[in-house]
Amino acid sequence: MTATPAAPPPALRPYLTARHETLWQEADAFAAEEVAPRAARMEATPRRVERKVAELMAARGWFAVTVPTEFGGSGTGHVAKTVLIHRIARVSAAAAAILQATLIPVGGLFLFASYEQKKHWLPQVADGSLLLSIAVTEPAAGGHIGGIETTATYDGKNWVITGSKIHIGNSHLAGAHLVIARTAAAGVTSSQALTAFLVESDRKGLTVADHRPGLGLHGFSAGRLDLDRVRVPEDNIVGEVGQGLHVAQGSSILYGRPNLTAVSLGIHEAAVTTTTTYLTTRLRYGGPLADLPVLRDRIGEMEARLRAARILAYQAVHLLDEGLPCDDADLINAKYLGHQWAAQSVRDAMELHGAQALDADYPLQRLWRDIQHTYPPAGTGEVQRIRLADAALGEAHIQWSQRLAAETAWARPDPTAA
Ligand SMILES: Cc1cc2nc3c(=O)[nH]c(=O)nc-3n(C[C@H](O)[C@H](O)[C@H](O)COP(=O)(O)OP(=O)(O)OC[C@H]3O[C@@H](n4cnc5c(N)ncnc54)[C@H](O)[C@@H]3O)c2cc1C
């Protein structure tokens, strides 16, 4: 796998400003100089949560990419976010996962927090002193938001939260968690029954279970939070009481799906590069394996998927940046096909490497393990296909990208920016 910096391909030019291209170069340099040397150690010590890479990304101000300048951020927007996650994921999907996991709740705060809350929380994210997580998934309900069992009740002074959350990205790095809890009695519709709370990680009653490594993404933590009568003040409610479903869905569709799309894209690119390098250097019958027509055909398939995945990943976030009402289904589709295509290409890459693919020290098996991790979060394939079928059949859903188009527009304030 190569960490060699590369220029943006021409097909992405319509979506990239000069600022994006600079960020692209900076991300490539960072990935080569800081991430690549740590990648092998992250793999060799899966029980360790990688903090150093998080600190280095924070020091570069990259958690501030979607924080407005007014709150200390760089305000560079959705395409810039995709550039960072994509280019880092090419070298380490785990490092990119650390970045993207905090950028989902940052989106939730940006869209739903009050001005005072933004002034309090966002500068800390922007200066790198505070990482966040978003905590929705539960042991019984899984990804079904309507089944959330974590409760929050008001005791006259504080909200008291009890329940458990699992698979929470950056569970071990976050200084505060955006927790979705049930605040209404049984029978109240999910669109009014849930509320989002910011819960600082040092609140009494909150425990983060010991880090347990998963199949891949070694170094990234996606662990369990247990909340036992955790008290938080009214000020920690993000949005209105009863708006938790909106906070979770708005964050997931507008931020989570593009973020996971970018992680899949990075893995996809790494798989193609690893394969072409391998097949052009492994000799057989007086030439490289890459000369064999059957293998060229499969390389062609991989390249076709990669080129299409790139466009999907950048086109929808470009529309968001422009404040144009892109269809939520486009963000959903980019995440869905971005994963499917990458997973298929990684599988092809494994087969085209023969037994070499299985060597524990060879990066390809890491790509195969890592790509399994972009299927469940921010909507599994089944969930995405349900929404895509609804779109095809003309069945209405809240269109977050339209409803929040004004807030999500980043390029519009300065359309002349190079
Ligand atoms: C790397 C990673 C990072 C994550 N980060 C976070 C995070 O930061 N915060 C967070 O809250 N969660 C996070 N998750 C959890 C993720 O959101 C859930 O895994 C996902 O929502 C699915 O839930 P589940 O795994 O419990 O599967 P389940 O919901 O139990 O689903 C099991 C199977 O049933 C299918 N299924 C479920 N419901 C339906 C339906 N209605 N129709 C058809 N099929 C259905 C699913 O597609 C799946 O195939 C993360 C997961 C991973 C792997």
Side-chain angles (χ1 to χ4, degrees), residues 183-380:
T183 44
V188 176
T189 154
S190 300
S191 60
Q192 293 169 0
L194 305 172
T195 302
F197 296 88
L198 265 173
V199 181
E200 296 90 336
S201 57
D202 57 0
R203 287 265 171 200
K204 191 160 170 265
L206 172 65
T207 34
V208 182
D210 287 346
H211 173 60
R212 297 177 62 230
L215 176 69
L217 294 189
H218 292 161
F220 174 63
S221 59
R224 176 180 178 115
L225 312 180
D226 288 300
L227 300 102
D228 180 12
R229 285 162 290 155
V230 177
R231 291 182 153 66
V232 295
E234 185 106 37
D235 284 351
N236 283 31
I237 291 179
V238 175
E240 309 279 325
V241 172
Q243 232 185 3
L245 180 77
H246 290 186
V247 176
Q249 285 196 334
S251 311
S252 176
I253 291 177
L254 296 179
Y255 289 78
R257 287 173 201 192
N259 290 4
L260 271 303
T261 306
V263 177
S264 293
L265 180 59
I267 296 172
H268 198 163
E269 250 175 45
V272 174
T273 311
T274 303
T275 305
T276 52
T277 305
Y278 185 72
L279 294 180
T280 48
T281 50
R282 189 159 172 78
L283 302 178
R284 193 73 46 87
Y285 320 120
L289 280 178
D291 283 351
L292 298 181
V294 171
L295 303 192
R296 290 184 85 84
D297 182 59
R298 292 190 71 179
I299 294 169
E301 278 290 339
M302 292 169 77
E303 181 69 7
R305 285 190 291 261
L306 176 59
R307 284 173 181 262
R310 272 198 205 111
I311 305 285
L312 276 190
Y314 279 87
Q315 194 250 0
V317 286
H318 170 69
L319 291 177
L320 282 182
D321 270 354
E322 294 294 324
L324 296 171
C326 85
D327 193 332
D328 286 7
D330 289 327
L331 298 165
I332 289 169
N333 194 36
K335 195 268 169 173
Y336 173 62
L337 283 179
H339 166 84
Q340 294 293 105
W341 286 340
Q344 183 61 54
S345 289
V346 174
R347 187 183 156 174
D348 285 349
M350 295 287 288
E351 291 174 3
L352 292 175
H353 275 76
Q356 173 67 20
L358 308 173
D359 189 317
D361 293 329
Y362 193 68
L364 197 53
Q365 46 80 32
R366 163 158 68 93
L367 300 179
W368 185 84
R369 286 183 286 108
D370 287 351
I371 198 61
Q372 313 306 323
H373 288 251
T374 64
Y375 186 79
T380 61

Side-chain angles (χ1 to χ4, degrees), residues 11-277:
L12 294 186
R13 297 262 177 235
Y15 313 123
L16 301 179
T17 62
R19 195 165 181 198
H20 292 137
E21 296 205 19
T22 303
L23 208 53
W24 181 293
Q25 286 160 15
E26 288 170 4
D28 274 8
F30 174 78
E33 289 158 22
E34 303 288 4
V35 181
R38 290 178 169 85
R41 194 206 52 210
M42 286 162 71
E43 279 311 292
T45 52
R47 296 199 166 273
R48 221 178 122 265
V49 176
E50 177 58 44
R51 291 176 189 279
K52 186 67 190 170
V53 168
E55 286 169 19
L56 292 169
M57 293 190 292
R60 279 165 175 73
W62 287 347
F63 290 98
V65 70
T66 50
V67 175
T69 49
E70 179 182 9
F71 301 111
S74 59
T76 29
H78 295 272
V79 171
K81 174 166 66 71
T82 288
V83 167
L84 289 174
I85 299 170
H86 160 206
R87 300 312 290 167
I88 293 169
R90 208 173 53 110
V91 175
S92 164
I98 293 171
L99 181 61
Q100 73 80 30
T102 279
L103 295 176
I104 301 173
V106 168
L109 280 186
F110 172 61
L111 298 172
F112 290 94
S114 66
Y115 183 80
E116 285 68 32
Q117 287 175 320
K118 287 179 188 170
K119 223 165 65 178
H120 176 72
W121 295 100
L122 291 180
Q124 300 176 62
V125 175
D127 72 16
S129 58
L130 178 74
L131 264 56
L132 300 174
S133 85
I134 184 162
V136 180
T137 308
E138 296 198 350
H144 174 43
I145 300 182
I148 281 178
E149 291 175 343
T150 295
T151 57
T153 50
Y154 193 59
D155 71 359
K157 196 168 164 221
N158 289 301
W159 285 88
V160 185
I161 309 175
T162 297
S164 296
K165 299 288 181 180
I166 56 171
H167 308 307
I168 304 310
N170 279 350
S171 48
H172 289 66
L173 296 181
H177 309 279
L178 186 59
V179 174
I180 309 297
R182 183 167 294 279
T183 44
V188 176
T189 154
S190 300
S191 60
Q192 293 169 0
L194 305 172
T195 302
F197 296 88
L198 265 173
V199 181
E200 296 90 336
S201 57
D202 57 0
R203 287 265 171 200
K204 191 160 170 265
L206 172 65
T207 34
V208 182
D210 287 346
H211 173 60
R212 297 177 62 230
L215 176 69
L217 294 189
H218 292 161
F220 174 63
S221 59
R224 176 180 178 115
L225 312 180
D226 288 300
L227 300 102
D228 180 12
R229 285 162 290 155
V230 177
R231 291 182 153 66
V232 295
E234 185 106 37
D235 284 351
N236 283 31
I237 291 179
V238 175
E240 309 279 325
V241 172
Q243 232 185 3
L245 180 77
H246 290 186
V247 176
Q249 285 196 334
S251 311
S252 176
I253 291 177
L254 296 179
Y255 289 78
R257 287 173 201 192
N259 290 4
L260 271 303
T261 306
V263 177
S264 293
L265 180 59
I267 296 172
H268 198 163
E269 250 175 45
V272 174
T273 311
T274 303
T275 305
T276 52
T277 305

